[in-house]
Amino acid sequence: MQETNTVIPLREHHDTDFGEPRRFKVYTARQLDKIEPLQRLDEEARFAMDVVASVLPFRVNEYVIEELIDWDKVPDDPIYQLTFPQKGMLAPEHFERVADAMRSGDKDTLNQAIAEVREALNPHPAGQMEHNIPQVDGERINGLQHKYDETVLFFPSQGQVCHSYCTFCFRWAQFIGDNDLKIAAKEAGQLKKYIQAHPEITDVLITGGDPLVMKTKNLRAHIEPLLELEQLRTIRIGSKALTFWPYRFVSDNDAADLLDLFREVTAAGKHLALMAHYNHWKELEPSIAREAIRRVRATGAQIRAQGPLLAHINDNADDWARLWQSQVELGVVPYYMFVERDTGARHYFEVPLAKAWHIYRDAMKQVSGLARTARGPSMSSHPGKVEIQGITEIHGEKVFVLRFIQGRNPDWVQRPFFAKYNDEATWLNHLEPAFGEDKFFFEDELAAMGG
Ligand SMILES: *Cc1c(COP(=O)(O)O)cnc(C)c1O
Ligand code: SF4
C-alpha cells in the first residue's frame, strides 16, 4: 500500500483491467483541498467540512471517490455521506465551538475545543475501555476483548486504520491519534496463550480498524499459530476492504498470498469467515468489487455481511432489500443489521428503534427466505446484543418485543422480554420495562457483574 497525494481528475466509470495493479492513493483531513470534485462546493461548505474533519476521523481513497460516489447526486449520495464529513454530524453548539476556534487562528484554542468536543461524544460506548479486557498471568492484554464466551476479539496493532473511514464509525476514537484510546496488541503470542487458558473459546474475530490493511505476511504471523489450536473452530476477519479497496484481493502485490492464506485456514479444517461491512448495494456494483468476492469465495472462505442502519445512507426498506438480494446473488450471506451506536456522530445517523424495525420488516417482506438471514435490528449494548423482534400490543399495552442475541450472561440469550413502546427511543437506555415492572430481568445480575 503506497500513499501519494496529487490532485485527481474525475474519471469515467469503466471496467477495470484486473491484471493491472492500482496504486492506493489516500486523502486525509489536511488534503481536503486536493480532492478535485470537492472544489465544486462553495467556501462555506468546505469550511464546514474542515471543521467536522478536525473532530471526527477523515480518510478516503481515490477508488471510493472515483468509482463509488456519484458526484452528480452529492450531497445526497449515500457513499458520499458514508465517507465525507457533513456539517450536521456535529451538534450545532459543538460545531460553533470548533468553528470559532478555527477562525481565531490560535492553535491551542483549537486543540482545546477539539478535545472537549471529542470527549462529549462518548468515545467509548458500551464500556469498551473498562470492561471485557482480558488478562494473562495477571497482566491486562490491551489488544483483546472477550465479552461473549465463545468469541474473543483481537485488535492487531498494524490493523488499526481502514482503507477509508466511515463517518459514523463507532470506533472513531481509535483513529484520532489518542494512544490511550487505542486497543492494539503488540504480541501475537499472548492471544494464543489466552485462548488456551479459555477452553470455551471457539471463535477468534480479528478486527480493527481493518485488519486487511495489513500486509499478508503480518496477518499470516497472527493467523498461522492459531491453526494449531484444536479448540478453535472459526476464524473471522472483520473488514470493509471488499468495499473500500477490493484490489486487496485482486491486484495488490500480496493479493495472491492473501488468498493462499485463506486457503491454508480452510485446509486446516477451520471455518474462515470474512465479516464484510456493507451499508449500501452501491458498494457491490463495481466489477472489481464482484471479482474480489468471487476470488475470496473460491478459497473456501465464507463472506457474511453486516452493517448499521443509518439515516442519510440506508434508512429505507428498498435499499436494504436490494442490498440483501445482491448479496445472495453474489454468494454473500446477510448476517446482521445493526442499530447505530451511541457514540460520535450518532445524532446525525440515528434512526428510532420503531422505524428501524419497520424498515427491517418491510425489507424482509420483499425478499425470499434466502435473503432473510440477517438478524436485527440489533443493538450492541453493554448487557449484550439486543434485537428488536417486533412491536405489538399485549393486554392493551403497546410494547417492543426484545431478545438477547448475545448476553454478558449466556443464559440471557434468546429470552424474550418487553419494553414500553416509545416512538422516539433510539437505544436500549431509552427503554423502560413494560407492564409496570420496575426493571428488566437482567438488571440485577448486570449490576452484580460490576455494572
Ligand atoms: C457481535 C459480537 C461478537 C460476535 O457475536 P456473534 O453473534 O457470534 O456474531 C463477539 N464479541 C463481541 C464483543 C460482539 O459485539
Ligand atoms: S471500516 Fe469499520 S472500523 Fe473502519 S471506519 Fe468503517 S466502520 Fe469503522
Side-chain angles (χ1 to χ4, degrees), residues 269-281:
K270 312 292 186 197
H271 178 61
L272 177 62
L274 186 58
M275 308 304 291
H277 174 191
Y278 285 113
N279 307 99
H280 200 279
W281 52 265

Side-chain angles (χ1 to χ4, degrees), residues 175-213:
F175 303 139
I176 55 178
D178 187 338
N179 283 328
D180 291 350
L181 310 184
K182 249 182 214 161
I183 313 175
K186 299 231 158 46
E187 267 199 81
Q190 285 183 308
L191 172 61
K192 193 171 169 187
K193 244 174 138 178
Y194 182 80
I195 295 170
Q196 284 172 313
H198 293 266
E200 72 277 15
I201 296 174
T202 56
D203 289 37
V204 168
L205 170 52
I206 305 173
T207 183
D210 196 321
L212 294 182
V213 300

